[in-house]
Amino acid sequence: MRAIWKGAVSFGLVSVPVKLYAATESHDVSFRQVHATDGGRIKYQRVCAIDGEEVDYADIAKGYETEDGEVVILTDDDMASLPSESSREIAVEKFVPSDQIDPMLFEKSYYLEPEKTGAKPYALLRQALLDADRMAVVTVALRQRTSVGVLRVKDDVIVMQTMMWPDEVRVPDFSVETGEVKPAEVKMANMLVETLAGDFDASEFEDDYAGAVEAMVKAKIEGGEVKRTPTSTKSSGEVVDLLAALQRSVDAAKTARGESTADDKDEKKPAKKAAAKKTAKKAPAKKAAKKAS
């Protein structure tokens, strides 16, 4: 794994220099949108919704849409004036009981590895979290934005999990009408829970969908069902013959210098052949004239 951030965990007067690693990676199956007839990739252009013109990336700005549909354009100077953080500190704010934090708030997970000089205070913090059965609520600046997170222990490693802000968790706008639940029904539901009770083991579950897609693709490859799509294309999506494009470039350069091009030579070839044929036809007549003299 490659460290994506370096800093220090600070709690009280103790500082633990650490490296940060992404703890998860997505293995989701991704597809490309392609032309069904030839397998060519579908391209998307940046087009202005007002004038219909394609917009260069350099001319694209950030816009904030208001509730009434108006757009406020923010310049680079506007963005630079916004509050940003570049601190290399994971600051412990408090230690809270683990069951007080709703798992819905958890966002991304990271592993913390101690630097050599921080091995001992790292071990102390890890043991303190285990003994107290608490999580450390922290603030940290990642990607120039302050985030709230927690530190907890997984196996022998301290894990930091960033959290969403409370207003980012939606409140359901519907009510659940359950009706009357009979005691016998509750008893039967409890029996079902006990029947299916067990310990969680992630290895018992498998991504069947990803495996099925891989098997299907492999079978199509072995059956020769593969589109060999050209890699060189124009911006419009028209296929380009690279050799022809290079020849046109050479011809254009020669034309600019007043030299003959490949097309000119091709046009002269039929004329030369015709002239040669005329010469061949005239030759016998000359010989006949010489004999007569």
Side-chain angles (χ1 to χ4, degrees):
M1 293 189 294
R2 180 179 179 182
I4 61 174
W5 186 89
K6 290 183 179 181
V9 178
S10 64
F11 60 107
L13 299 177
V14 179
S15 180
V16 187
V18 294
K19 297 177 183 178
L20 196 72
Y21 299 88
T24 60
E25 59 183 1
S26 175
H27 291 166
D28 192 17
V29 177
S30 61
F31 299 99
R32 294 188 181 276
Q33 290 189 321
V34 298
H35 191 189
T37 58
D38 57 20
R41 294 182 183 178
I42 303 300
K43 290 188 174 182
Y44 294 92
Q45 295 176 320
R46 296 178 292 270
V47 178
C48 176
I50 296 177
D51 58 24
E53 296 292 328
E54 186 174 358
V55 182
D56 292 334
Y57 187 79
D59 295 328
I60 296 177
K62 289 182 172 63
Y64 184 91
E65 187 172 357
T66 63
E67 292 182 358
D68 57 2
E70 298 292 332
V71 175
V72 179
I73 297 178
L74 302 178
T75 65
D76 291 341
D77 291 338
D78 294 330
M79 298 302 297
S81 67
L82 294 174
S84 63
E85 297 287 346
S86 59
S87 171
R88 291 287 175 176
E89 181 184 41
I90 301 174
V92 175
E93 305 296 338
K94 61 175 65 176
F95 294 92
V96 303
S98 300
D99 58 2
Q100 285 188 358
I101 299 178
D102 190 334
M104 286 186 68
L105 291 170
F106 293 144
E107 192 173 21
K108 294 183 179 180
S109 302
Y110 302 90
Y111 290 130
L112 297 184
E113 178 191 22
E115 300 277 12
K116 290 183 178 179
T117 57
K120 187 173 182 178
Y122 182 96
L124 291 173
L125 175 59
R126 181 182 61 194
Q127 193 60 45
L129 290 171
L130 289 172
D131 292 345
D133 191 23
R134 289 175 178 260
M135 293 184 179
V137 177
V138 301
T139 53
V140 58
L142 293 176
R143 301 178 185 87
Q144 297 185 330
R145 280 195 63 182
T146 299
S147 299
V148 178
V150 297
L151 301 183
R152 65 183 184 86
V153 180
K154 175 178 171 56
D155 300 327
D156 292 330
V157 180
I158 296 177
V159 175
M160 182 178 78
Q161 290 183 274
T162 56
M163 296 193 300
M164 292 179 287
W165 299 101
D167 62 354
E168 293 179 319
V169 178
R170 301 173 65 184
V171 178
D173 58 358
F174 57 87
S175 59
V176 179
E177 300 294 338
T178 61
E180 183 181 357
V181 179
K182 299 178 180 179
E185 295 171 334
V186 173
K187 182 178 180 181
M188 186 61 67
N190 290 336
M191 289 176 60
L192 177 60
V193 170
E194 289 299 322
T195 302
L196 297 177
D199 296 323
F200 176 70
D201 183 359
S203 63
E204 295 177 355
F205 301 91
E206 185 179 355
D207 188 354
D208 294 337
Y209 182 77
V213 171
E214 291 177 3
M216 182 187 297
V217 171
K218 183 178 179 181
K220 284 183 173 289
I221 292 174
E222 292 175 349
E225 297 182 53
V226 180
K227 296 286 186 181
R228 301 296 180 184
T229 56
T231 56
S232 179
T233 59
K234 288 183 179 179
S235 58
S236 63
E238 181 183 350
V239 177
V240 175
D241 185 332
L242 182 57
L243 184 59
L246 291 172
Q247 184 62 62
R248 286 197 296 270
S249 300
V250 172
D251 290 346
K254 286 184 176 181
T255 301
R257 294 198 298 265
E259 300 177 15
S260 61
T261 66
D263 291 338
D264 295 334
K265 292 178 180 179
D266 291 339
E267 289 176 2
K268 290 178 180 178
K269 285 179 181 179
K272 287 181 179 180
K273 289 180 179 178
K277 288 180 179 179
K278 287 181 180 180
T279 303
K281 289 178 180 179
K282 290 180 180 180
K286 288 182 179 179
K287 290 180 181 179
K290 286 182 180 180
K291 288 180 179 178
S293 62

